[in-house]
Structures are given as structure tokens and as C-alpha cells.
Short mmCIF file of all heavy atoms in Angstrom, two decimals:
data_model
loop_
_atom_site.label_atom_id
_atom_site.label_comp_id
_atom_site.label_asym_id
_atom_site.label_seq_id
_atom_site.Cartn_x
_atom_site.Cartn_y
_atom_site.Cartn_z
N MET A 292 -22.99 4.97 7.78
CA MET A 292 -22.19 4.24 6.77
C MET A 292 -21.56 2.99 7.37
O MET A 292 -20.78 3.12 8.43
CB MET A 292 -21.19 5.14 6.17
CG MET A 292 -20.30 4.43 5.03
SD MET A 292 -19.23 5.75 4.31
CE MET A 292 -19.04 5.12 2.72
N THR A 293 -21.66 1.81 6.83
CA THR A 293 -21.13 0.67 7.32
C THR A 293 -19.64 0.55 6.97
O THR A 293 -19.26 0.81 5.82
CB THR A 293 -21.83 -0.65 6.74
OG1 THR A 293 -23.18 -0.44 6.87
CG2 THR A 293 -21.25 -2.00 7.14
N PRO A 294 -18.83 0.26 8.01
CA PRO A 294 -17.34 0.16 7.63
C PRO A 294 -17.04 -0.98 6.80
O PRO A 294 -17.84 -1.99 6.85
CB PRO A 294 -16.68 0.06 9.17
CG PRO A 294 -17.80 -0.32 10.06
CD PRO A 294 -19.12 0.09 9.33
N PRO A 295 -16.00 -0.98 6.10
CA PRO A 295 -15.63 -2.14 5.29
C PRO A 295 -15.41 -3.38 6.01
O PRO A 295 -15.00 -3.25 7.17
CB PRO A 295 -14.38 -1.67 4.41
CG PRO A 295 -13.84 -0.51 5.22
CD PRO A 295 -14.97 0.09 5.99
N PRO A 296 -15.66 -4.59 5.52
CA PRO A 296 -15.40 -5.75 6.19
C PRO A 296 -13.80 -5.82 6.64
O PRO A 296 -12.95 -5.22 5.94
CB PRO A 296 -15.75 -6.89 5.34
CG PRO A 296 -15.82 -6.29 3.94
CD PRO A 296 -16.02 -4.81 4.08
N ARG A 297 -13.62 -6.51 7.61
CA ARG A 297 -12.14 -6.71 8.12
C ARG A 297 -11.90 -8.14 8.27
O ARG A 297 -12.75 -8.94 8.47
CB ARG A 297 -11.94 -5.96 9.59
CG ARG A 297 -12.29 -4.53 9.63
CD ARG A 297 -11.17 -3.84 9.02
NE ARG A 297 -11.30 -2.39 9.10
CZ ARG A 297 -10.41 -1.51 9.42
NH1 ARG A 297 -9.20 -1.99 9.81
NH2 ARG A 297 -10.70 -0.24 9.43
N GLU A 298 -10.65 -8.38 8.14
CA GLU A 298 -10.17 -9.78 8.35
C GLU A 298 -9.04 -9.79 9.44
O GLU A 298 -8.17 -8.90 9.23
CB GLU A 298 -9.49 -10.38 7.06
CG GLU A 298 -8.92 -11.72 7.16
CD GLU A 298 -8.33 -12.22 5.83
OE1 GLU A 298 -8.69 -11.70 4.80
OE2 GLU A 298 -7.57 -13.22 5.90
N LYS A 299 -9.06 -10.64 10.39
CA LYS A 299 -8.17 -10.63 11.42
C LYS A 299 -6.90 -11.37 10.99
O LYS A 299 -7.06 -12.48 10.41
CB LYS A 299 -8.72 -11.37 12.70
CG LYS A 299 -7.74 -11.26 13.93
CD LYS A 299 -8.47 -11.84 15.02
CE LYS A 299 -7.52 -11.79 16.31
NZ LYS A 299 -7.96 -11.14 17.41
N VAL A 300 -5.78 -10.70 11.18
CA VAL A 300 -4.47 -11.35 10.83
C VAL A 300 -3.55 -11.17 11.99
O VAL A 300 -3.72 -10.30 12.97
CB VAL A 300 -3.78 -10.63 9.61
CG1 VAL A 300 -4.72 -10.93 8.32
CG2 VAL A 300 -3.57 -9.24 9.84
N SER A 301 -2.50 -12.08 12.03
CA SER A 301 -1.61 -11.99 13.11
C SER A 301 -0.20 -11.60 12.54
O SER A 301 0.20 -12.14 11.52
CB SER A 301 -1.52 -13.42 13.84
OG SER A 301 -0.48 -13.26 14.75
N ILE A 302 0.52 -10.68 13.15
CA ILE A 302 1.81 -10.33 12.73
C ILE A 302 2.80 -10.31 13.91
O ILE A 302 2.35 -10.27 15.06
CB ILE A 302 1.84 -8.88 12.10
CG1 ILE A 302 1.49 -7.72 12.96
CG2 ILE A 302 1.04 -8.99 10.75
CD1 ILE A 302 1.75 -6.41 12.50
N THR A 303 3.99 -10.49 13.54
CA THR A 303 5.10 -10.48 14.65
C THR A 303 6.06 -9.32 14.27
O THR A 303 6.53 -9.21 13.30
CB THR A 303 5.83 -11.78 14.59
OG1 THR A 303 5.04 -12.87 14.79
CG2 THR A 303 6.84 -11.88 15.72
N LEU A 304 6.19 -8.46 15.30
CA LEU A 304 7.08 -7.27 15.20
C LEU A 304 8.08 -7.29 16.26
O LEU A 304 7.81 -7.83 17.32
CB LEU A 304 6.13 -5.97 15.33
CG LEU A 304 5.07 -5.76 14.39
CD1 LEU A 304 4.31 -4.62 14.89
CD2 LEU A 304 5.65 -5.50 13.01
N PRO A 305 9.24 -6.57 15.99
CA PRO A 305 10.18 -6.41 17.08
C PRO A 305 9.48 -5.49 18.08
O PRO A 305 8.76 -4.72 17.85
CB PRO A 305 11.34 -5.61 16.35
CG PRO A 305 11.17 -5.85 14.96
CD PRO A 305 9.75 -6.11 14.76
N PRO A 306 9.90 -5.82 19.40
CA PRO A 306 9.22 -5.16 20.61
C PRO A 306 9.25 -3.57 20.40
O PRO A 306 8.27 -2.93 20.71
CB PRO A 306 9.89 -5.67 21.86
CG PRO A 306 10.43 -6.90 21.38
CD PRO A 306 10.80 -6.84 19.91
N ASP A 307 10.39 -3.08 20.09
CA ASP A 307 10.44 -1.62 20.02
C ASP A 307 9.56 -0.99 18.87
O ASP A 307 8.95 0.03 19.07
CB ASP A 307 11.92 -1.14 19.76
CG ASP A 307 12.57 -1.71 18.46
OD1 ASP A 307 12.32 -2.74 18.04
OD2 ASP A 307 13.31 -0.81 17.73
N LEU A 308 9.49 -1.66 17.71
CA LEU A 308 8.63 -1.25 16.71
C LEU A 308 7.22 -1.36 17.05
O LEU A 308 6.32 -0.41 16.80
CB LEU A 308 8.91 -2.03 15.32
CG LEU A 308 8.08 -1.69 14.20
CD1 LEU A 308 8.26 -0.22 13.82
CD2 LEU A 308 8.30 -2.56 12.91
N ALA A 309 6.80 -2.41 17.70
CA ALA A 309 5.37 -2.54 18.19
C ALA A 309 4.99 -1.44 19.15
O ALA A 309 4.00 -0.90 19.16
CB ALA A 309 5.27 -4.04 18.86
N ALA A 310 5.94 -1.05 20.19
CA ALA A 310 5.63 -0.14 21.10
C ALA A 310 5.58 1.23 20.38
O ALA A 310 4.62 2.10 20.73
CB ALA A 310 6.93 -0.07 22.08
N ARG A 311 6.34 1.55 19.45
CA ARG A 311 6.25 2.72 18.76
C ARG A 311 4.96 2.96 17.95
O ARG A 311 4.32 4.00 17.85
CB ARG A 311 7.46 3.03 17.86
CG ARG A 311 8.77 3.27 18.67
CD ARG A 311 10.07 3.51 17.90
NE ARG A 311 10.04 3.58 16.45
CZ ARG A 311 10.76 2.87 15.57
NH1 ARG A 311 11.58 1.94 16.11
NH2 ARG A 311 10.62 3.05 14.41
N ALA A 312 4.63 1.73 17.32
CA ALA A 312 3.45 1.77 16.52
C ALA A 312 2.14 1.97 17.40
O ALA A 312 1.20 2.69 17.11
CB ALA A 312 3.22 0.47 15.67
N ARG A 313 2.23 1.30 18.58
CA ARG A 313 1.09 1.55 19.61
C ARG A 313 0.97 2.99 19.91
O ARG A 313 -0.14 3.57 20.04
CB ARG A 313 1.18 0.61 20.73
CG ARG A 313 0.69 -0.86 20.48
CD ARG A 313 0.65 -1.47 21.75
NE ARG A 313 0.61 -2.96 21.53
CZ ARG A 313 1.60 -3.87 21.51
NH1 ARG A 313 2.80 -3.38 21.73
NH2 ARG A 313 1.48 -5.06 21.15
N ALA A 314 2.09 3.56 20.30
CA ALA A 314 2.03 4.99 20.71
C ALA A 314 1.57 5.87 19.57
O ALA A 314 0.76 6.78 19.79
CB ALA A 314 3.46 5.30 21.06
N ALA A 315 2.03 5.59 18.37
CA ALA A 315 1.63 6.50 17.28
C ALA A 315 0.06 6.26 16.89
O ALA A 315 -0.40 7.14 16.37
CB ALA A 315 2.56 6.13 16.01
N SER A 316 -0.37 5.06 17.16
CA SER A 316 -1.66 4.87 16.64
C SER A 316 -2.82 5.42 17.61
O SER A 316 -3.96 5.45 17.12
CB SER A 316 -1.94 3.25 16.69
OG SER A 316 -2.07 2.74 18.13
N LYS A 317 -2.43 6.02 18.57
CA LYS A 317 -3.44 6.68 19.54
C LYS A 317 -4.64 5.87 19.79
O LYS A 317 -5.79 6.20 19.77
CB LYS A 317 -4.00 7.94 18.98
CG LYS A 317 -2.73 8.97 18.67
CD LYS A 317 -3.22 10.24 18.12
CE LYS A 317 -1.91 11.16 18.06
NZ LYS A 317 -1.98 12.13 16.99
N GLY A 318 -4.33 4.47 20.06
CA GLY A 318 -5.38 3.55 20.53
C GLY A 318 -5.99 2.70 19.48
O GLY A 318 -6.90 1.88 19.82
N ASN A 319 -5.71 2.91 18.21
CA ASN A 319 -6.35 2.11 17.19
C ASN A 319 -5.27 1.55 16.32
O ASN A 319 -5.02 1.98 15.09
CB ASN A 319 -7.33 2.87 16.42
CG ASN A 319 -8.25 1.96 15.59
OD1 ASN A 319 -7.85 0.80 15.23
ND2 ASN A 319 -9.49 2.48 15.27
N LEU A 320 -4.52 0.52 16.82
CA LEU A 320 -3.38 -0.05 15.99
C LEU A 320 -3.82 -0.57 14.67
O LEU A 320 -3.13 -0.52 13.67
CB LEU A 320 -2.71 -1.21 16.88
CG LEU A 320 -1.33 -1.64 16.44
CD1 LEU A 320 -0.39 -0.63 16.04
CD2 LEU A 320 -0.85 -2.76 17.37
N SER A 321 -4.90 -1.26 14.71
CA SER A 321 -5.40 -1.83 13.34
C SER A 321 -5.56 -0.86 12.27
O SER A 321 -5.04 -1.02 11.17
CB SER A 321 -6.83 -2.63 13.65
OG SER A 321 -6.56 -3.79 14.39
N ASP A 322 -6.19 0.29 12.50
CA ASP A 322 -6.41 1.29 11.54
C ASP A 322 -5.08 1.95 11.19
O ASP A 322 -4.87 2.18 10.10
CB ASP A 322 -7.42 2.39 12.12
CG ASP A 322 -8.85 1.91 11.91
OD1 ASP A 322 -9.26 1.01 11.23
OD2 ASP A 322 -9.70 2.63 12.51
N TYR A 323 -4.26 2.08 12.11
CA TYR A 323 -2.89 2.71 11.85
C TYR A 323 -2.09 1.84 10.90
O TYR A 323 -1.48 2.36 9.95
CB TYR A 323 -2.22 2.87 13.21
CG TYR A 323 -0.81 3.58 13.13
CD1 TYR A 323 -0.66 4.94 12.98
CD2 TYR A 323 0.36 2.85 13.03
CE1 TYR A 323 0.41 5.64 12.86
CE2 TYR A 323 1.55 3.44 12.93
CZ TYR A 323 1.60 4.91 12.80
OH TYR A 323 2.87 5.45 12.76
N LEU A 324 -2.03 0.56 11.15
CA LEU A 324 -1.28 -0.34 10.32
C LEU A 324 -1.97 -0.52 9.07
O LEU A 324 -1.35 -0.68 7.96
CB LEU A 324 -1.26 -1.79 11.00
CG LEU A 324 -0.27 -1.75 12.32
CD1 LEU A 324 -0.35 -3.15 12.96
CD2 LEU A 324 1.15 -1.32 11.94
N ALA A 325 -3.34 -0.57 8.89
CA ALA A 325 -4.03 -0.60 7.67
C ALA A 325 -3.69 0.56 6.75
O ALA A 325 -3.40 0.42 5.54
CB ALA A 325 -5.54 -0.74 7.82
N ARG A 326 -3.68 1.81 7.42
CA ARG A 326 -3.26 2.98 6.57
C ARG A 326 -1.80 2.87 6.10
O ARG A 326 -1.47 3.30 5.02
CB ARG A 326 -3.49 4.25 7.48
CG ARG A 326 -4.97 4.67 7.54
CD ARG A 326 -5.07 6.04 8.13
NE ARG A 326 -4.35 6.39 9.35
CZ ARG A 326 -4.62 6.09 10.50
NH1 ARG A 326 -5.71 5.51 10.85
NH2 ARG A 326 -3.79 6.40 11.50
N ALA A 327 -0.99 2.36 7.00
CA ALA A 327 0.48 2.30 6.64
C ALA A 327 0.68 1.33 5.48
O ALA A 327 1.49 1.53 4.58
CB ALA A 327 1.34 1.86 7.95
N LEU A 328 -0.07 0.18 5.58
CA LEU A 328 0.01 -0.79 4.49
C LEU A 328 -0.49 -0.19 3.10
O LEU A 328 0.08 -0.46 2.14
CB LEU A 328 -0.68 -2.06 4.86
CG LEU A 328 -0.02 -3.02 5.89
CD1 LEU A 328 -1.03 -4.03 6.28
CD2 LEU A 328 1.27 -3.52 5.22
N GLU A 329 -1.64 0.54 3.21
CA GLU A 329 -2.17 1.16 2.08
C GLU A 329 -1.13 2.07 1.39
O GLU A 329 -0.92 2.11 0.19
CB GLU A 329 -3.46 1.89 2.30
CG GLU A 329 -4.65 1.06 2.61
CD GLU A 329 -5.17 0.49 1.26
OE1 GLU A 329 -4.89 0.82 0.12
OE2 GLU A 329 -5.99 -0.49 1.44
N GLU A 330 -0.53 2.86 2.27
CA GLU A 330 0.54 3.87 1.80
C GLU A 330 1.73 3.18 1.06
O GLU A 330 2.27 3.53 0.15
CB GLU A 330 1.01 4.89 2.93
CG GLU A 330 -0.03 5.85 3.39
CD GLU A 330 0.38 6.58 4.56
OE1 GLU A 330 1.63 6.57 4.87
OE2 GLU A 330 -0.48 7.16 5.22
N LYS A 331 2.22 1.97 1.74
CA LYS A 331 3.31 1.28 1.20
C LYS A 331 2.86 0.61 -0.13
O LYS A 331 3.70 0.61 -1.12
CB LYS A 331 3.58 0.10 2.30
CG LYS A 331 4.64 -0.75 1.82
CD LYS A 331 6.06 -0.15 1.54
CE LYS A 331 7.18 -1.24 1.26
NZ LYS A 331 8.01 -0.94 0.16
N LEU A 332 1.82 0.06 -0.26
CA LEU A 332 1.33 -0.54 -1.45
C LEU A 332 1.25 0.52 -2.56
O LEU A 332 1.57 0.14 -3.68
CB LEU A 332 -0.03 -1.30 -1.27
CG LEU A 332 0.02 -2.60 -0.38
CD1 LEU A 332 -1.31 -2.99 -0.11
CD2 LEU A 332 0.81 -3.64 -1.11
N LEU A 333 0.68 1.63 -2.31
CA LEU A 333 0.61 2.77 -3.30
C LEU A 333 2.10 3.16 -3.69
O LEU A 333 2.28 3.32 -4.93
CB LEU A 333 -0.22 3.90 -2.75
CG LEU A 333 -0.30 5.10 -3.54
CD1 LEU A 333 -1.00 4.71 -4.92
CD2 LEU A 333 -1.04 6.22 -2.92
N ALA A 334 2.91 3.29 -2.72
CA ALA A 334 4.23 3.74 -3.12
C ALA A 334 4.92 2.70 -3.94
O ALA A 334 5.65 3.04 -4.89
CB ALA A 334 5.09 3.89 -1.75
N ASP A 335 4.68 1.40 -3.64
CA ASP A 335 5.25 0.33 -4.45
C ASP A 335 4.76 0.39 -5.92
O ASP A 335 5.46 0.14 -6.82
CB ASP A 335 5.03 -1.07 -3.83
CG ASP A 335 5.79 -1.31 -2.55
OD1 ASP A 335 6.69 -0.40 -2.26
OD2 ASP A 335 5.59 -2.34 -1.87
N ALA A 336 3.44 0.53 -5.98
CA ALA A 336 2.82 0.59 -7.39
C ALA A 336 3.31 1.86 -8.06
O ALA A 336 3.61 1.71 -9.33
CB ALA A 336 1.27 0.66 -7.14
N MET A 337 3.57 3.00 -7.43
CA MET A 337 4.10 4.19 -8.15
C MET A 337 5.48 3.89 -8.52
O MET A 337 5.92 4.30 -9.67
CB MET A 337 3.90 5.38 -7.18
CG MET A 337 2.55 5.84 -7.00
SD MET A 337 2.31 7.23 -5.75
CE MET A 337 3.28 8.40 -6.45
N ALA A 338 6.31 3.23 -7.82
CA ALA A 338 7.70 2.90 -8.20
C ALA A 338 7.70 1.93 -9.35
O ALA A 338 8.50 2.12 -10.21
CB ALA A 338 8.30 2.34 -6.96
N GLU A 339 6.77 1.02 -9.33
CA GLU A 339 6.75 0.06 -10.51
C GLU A 339 6.33 0.80 -11.74
O GLU A 339 6.92 0.66 -12.82
CB GLU A 339 5.76 -1.05 -10.16
CG GLU A 339 5.52 -2.01 -11.30
CD GLU A 339 6.83 -2.81 -11.73
OE1 GLU A 339 7.81 -2.70 -10.99
OE2 GLU A 339 6.68 -3.55 -12.66
N TYR A 340 5.33 1.77 -11.61
CA TYR A 340 4.95 2.52 -12.75
C TYR A 340 6.05 3.39 -13.27
O TYR A 340 6.30 3.43 -14.46
CB TYR A 340 3.76 3.52 -12.43
CG TYR A 340 3.34 4.41 -13.46
CD1 TYR A 340 2.61 3.99 -14.57
CD2 TYR A 340 3.85 5.74 -13.41
CE1 TYR A 340 2.29 4.90 -15.52
CE2 TYR A 340 3.45 6.64 -14.44
CZ TYR A 340 2.70 6.12 -15.46
OH TYR A 340 2.44 7.09 -16.49
N ALA A 341 6.83 4.01 -12.36
CA ALA A 341 7.95 4.81 -12.85
C ALA A 341 9.04 3.89 -13.44
O ALA A 341 9.61 4.48 -14.45
CB ALA A 341 8.55 5.48 -11.59
N ARG A 342 9.17 2.73 -12.99
CA ARG A 342 10.21 1.76 -13.57
C ARG A 342 9.85 1.42 -15.03
O ARG A 342 10.62 1.42 -15.89
CB ARG A 342 10.33 0.53 -12.72
CG ARG A 342 11.53 -0.45 -13.27
CD ARG A 342 11.41 -1.86 -12.52
NE ARG A 342 10.12 -2.50 -12.89
CZ ARG A 342 10.02 -3.23 -14.03
NH1 ARG A 342 10.90 -3.06 -14.92
NH2 ARG A 342 8.89 -3.95 -14.31
N LEU A 343 8.40 1.08 -15.09
CA LEU A 343 8.02 0.76 -16.49
C LEU A 343 8.00 1.91 -17.39
O LEU A 343 8.41 1.74 -18.57
CB LEU A 343 6.45 0.24 -16.39
CG LEU A 343 6.33 -1.10 -15.66
CD1 LEU A 343 4.91 -1.44 -15.48
CD2 LEU A 343 7.01 -2.15 -16.51
N ARG A 344 7.73 3.06 -16.95
CA ARG A 344 7.76 4.24 -17.76
C ARG A 344 9.24 4.50 -18.28
O ARG A 344 9.34 5.04 -19.39
CB ARG A 344 7.21 5.53 -17.06
CG ARG A 344 7.06 6.71 -17.83
CD ARG A 344 5.78 7.32 -17.64
NE ARG A 344 5.60 8.42 -18.64
CZ ARG A 344 5.46 9.62 -18.35
NH1 ARG A 344 5.22 9.98 -17.15
NH2 ARG A 344 5.34 10.48 -19.34
N ALA A 345 10.13 4.25 -17.35
CA ALA A 345 11.58 4.51 -17.75
C ALA A 345 12.09 3.54 -18.75
O ALA A 345 12.87 3.88 -19.57
CB ALA A 345 12.40 4.47 -16.57
N THR A 346 11.56 2.43 -18.81
CA THR A 346 12.02 1.31 -19.75
C THR A 346 11.20 1.13 -20.97
O THR A 346 11.63 0.42 -21.86
CB THR A 346 12.16 0.02 -18.97
OG1 THR A 346 10.82 -0.39 -18.52
CG2 THR A 346 13.14 0.16 -17.80
N GLU A 347 9.93 1.61 -20.98
CA GLU A 347 9.08 1.37 -22.12
C GLU A 347 8.80 2.68 -22.75
O GLU A 347 8.88 3.74 -22.19
CB GLU A 347 7.70 0.73 -21.66
CG GLU A 347 8.02 -0.62 -21.04
CD GLU A 347 6.63 -1.20 -20.62
OE1 GLU A 347 5.56 -0.75 -20.95
OE2 GLU A 347 6.69 -2.36 -19.98
N THR A 348 8.43 2.69 -24.09
CA THR A 348 7.93 3.90 -24.70
C THR A 348 6.64 4.28 -24.17
O THR A 348 5.89 3.49 -23.64
CB THR A 348 7.79 3.67 -26.19
OG1 THR A 348 6.72 2.73 -26.52
CG2 THR A 348 9.10 3.12 -26.83
N ILE A 349 6.32 5.55 -24.17
CA ILE A 349 5.04 6.09 -23.63
C ILE A 349 3.80 5.34 -24.41
O ILE A 349 2.84 5.11 -23.64
CB ILE A 349 4.98 7.60 -23.72
CG1 ILE A 349 3.82 8.10 -22.84
CG2 ILE A 349 4.85 8.02 -25.19
CD1 ILE A 349 3.90 7.97 -21.43
N ASP A 350 3.85 5.07 -25.63
CA ASP A 350 2.80 4.34 -26.32
C ASP A 350 2.56 3.07 -25.71
O ASP A 350 1.41 2.53 -25.54
CB ASP A 350 3.18 4.26 -27.79
CG ASP A 350 3.16 5.53 -28.47
OD1 ASP A 350 2.44 6.53 -28.02
OD2 ASP A 350 3.80 5.57 -29.52
N ASP A 351 3.67 2.33 -25.26
CA ASP A 351 3.45 0.98 -24.64
C ASP A 351 2.76 1.21 -23.32
O ASP A 351 1.93 0.38 -22.93
CB ASP A 351 4.84 0.32 -24.39
CG ASP A 351 5.51 -0.15 -25.71
OD1 ASP A 351 4.70 -0.26 -26.64
OD2 ASP A 351 6.69 -0.40 -25.72
N VAL A 352 3.15 2.27 -22.56
CA VAL A 352 2.64 2.47 -21.25
C VAL A 352 1.12 2.76 -21.33
O VAL A 352 0.20 2.16 -20.68
CB VAL A 352 3.23 3.59 -20.50
CG1 VAL A 352 2.49 3.98 -19.21
CG2 VAL A 352 4.69 3.26 -20.09
N HIS A 353 0.69 3.62 -22.39
CA HIS A 353 -0.75 3.88 -22.64
C HIS A 353 -1.49 2.78 -23.07
O HIS A 353 -2.63 2.54 -22.70
CB HIS A 353 -0.81 5.10 -23.64
CG HIS A 353 -0.50 6.44 -23.14
ND1 HIS A 353 -1.22 7.12 -22.28
CD2 HIS A 353 0.58 7.29 -23.45
CE1 HIS A 353 -0.70 8.32 -21.94
NE2 HIS A 353 0.41 8.43 -22.68
N GLU A 354 -0.91 1.90 -23.90
CA GLU A 354 -1.53 0.66 -24.34
C GLU A 354 -1.87 -0.31 -23.23
O GLU A 354 -2.87 -0.83 -22.98
CB GLU A 354 -0.71 0.02 -25.37
CG GLU A 354 -1.30 -1.28 -25.95
CD GLU A 354 -0.47 -1.90 -26.99
OE1 GLU A 354 0.18 -1.13 -27.76
OE2 GLU A 354 -0.43 -3.13 -27.07
N ALA A 355 -0.83 -0.38 -22.26
CA ALA A 355 -1.01 -1.34 -21.15
C ALA A 355 -2.04 -0.74 -20.25
O ALA A 355 -2.77 -1.48 -19.76
CB ALA A 355 0.31 -1.43 -20.43
N ALA A 356 -2.08 0.59 -20.03
CA ALA A 356 -3.09 1.22 -19.12
C ALA A 356 -4.48 0.97 -19.74
O ALA A 356 -5.41 0.71 -19.11
CB ALA A 356 -2.87 2.74 -19.00
N GLY A 357 -4.53 1.13 -21.03
CA GLY A 357 -5.89 0.90 -21.65
C GLY A 357 -6.36 -0.54 -21.58
O GLY A 357 -7.59 -0.79 -21.26
N GLU A 358 -5.45 -1.46 -21.58
CA GLU A 358 -5.83 -2.95 -21.41
C GLU A 358 -6.31 -3.15 -19.99
O GLU A 358 -7.21 -3.90 -19.76
CB GLU A 358 -4.60 -3.77 -21.78
CG GLU A 358 -4.25 -3.82 -23.29
CD GLU A 358 -3.03 -4.50 -23.62
OE1 GLU A 358 -2.35 -5.02 -22.70
OE2 GLU A 358 -2.62 -4.61 -24.69
N ASP A 359 -5.50 -2.46 -18.99
CA ASP A 359 -5.94 -2.61 -17.68
C ASP A 359 -7.35 -2.06 -17.40
O ASP A 359 -8.02 -2.59 -16.59
CB ASP A 359 -4.98 -1.97 -16.79
CG ASP A 359 -3.62 -2.73 -16.54
OD1 ASP A 359 -3.51 -3.99 -17.06
OD2 ASP A 359 -2.68 -2.19 -16.09
N ALA A 360 -7.70 -0.98 -17.98
CA ALA A 360 -8.97 -0.27 -17.78
C ALA A 360 -10.11 -1.18 -18.40
O ALA A 360 -11.17 -1.02 -17.88
CB ALA A 360 -8.86 1.11 -18.34
N SER A 361 -9.83 -1.91 -19.37
CA SER A 361 -11.00 -2.70 -19.95
C SER A 361 -11.14 -4.07 -19.38
O SER A 361 -10.72 -4.43 -18.53
CB SER A 361 -10.69 -2.83 -21.53
OG SER A 361 -9.44 -3.50 -21.71
#
């Protein structure tokens, strides 16, 4: 199976955070950071969904989800 395409980016981290991430990554910092970003984006999306659900009626949420699906 062909891995998904990758784009090279540059980031700047505090030295202690970079060292801890390298140690935790077990030699593959790119994959480690990609997984961490995916988890963060999912958590942010879930928080936004919860916020919307708390402020809108359930019918409005279902309607918006239906519009997104189409």
C-alpha cells in the first residue's frame, strides 16, 4: 500500500518540548507529530460540535449535519 503524500513543513519548538517529542517519537518525529495534530484537530472539532449542540436545538444540528453530508 502506498503511503499518503507528505508535505514538508518547518516548525519551531522550545528546546525542551522538541527533546521530549523526539524521545517519545521513537525515531519517527514526523509521524508522531502528524498523529498529535490529527488528535488535536479531532478534539477541537468535537469541542465545536459540543458547543453548537449546547446552543442550538437538536433539529438545527441535524439539519446542519444533513447539509454538510450533501
Side-chain angles (χ1 to χ4, degrees):
M292 180 177 206
T293 304
R297 300 283 180 136
E298 179 179 342
K299 185 172 179 131
V300 297
S301 175
I302 61 170
T303 303
L304 300 171
D307 62 321
L308 181 58
R311 291 179 8 230
R313 277 193 195 93
S316 74
K317 298 179 180 158
N319 196 335
L320 186 58
S321 291
D322 281 345
Y323 184 82
L324 292 175
R326 285 192 315 272
L328 284 171
E329 286 288 346
E330 290 175 13
K331 174 65 171 137
L332 290 169
L333 179 58
D335 289 351
M337 291 171 61
E339 177 65 6
Y340 173 79
R342 184 192 68 77
L343 289 173
R344 183 136 191 235
T346 60
E347 297 180 9
T348 67
I349 193 67
D350 290 336
D351 291 342
V352 173
H353 285 293
E354 183 180 321
E358 290 172 3
D359 286 346
S361 56

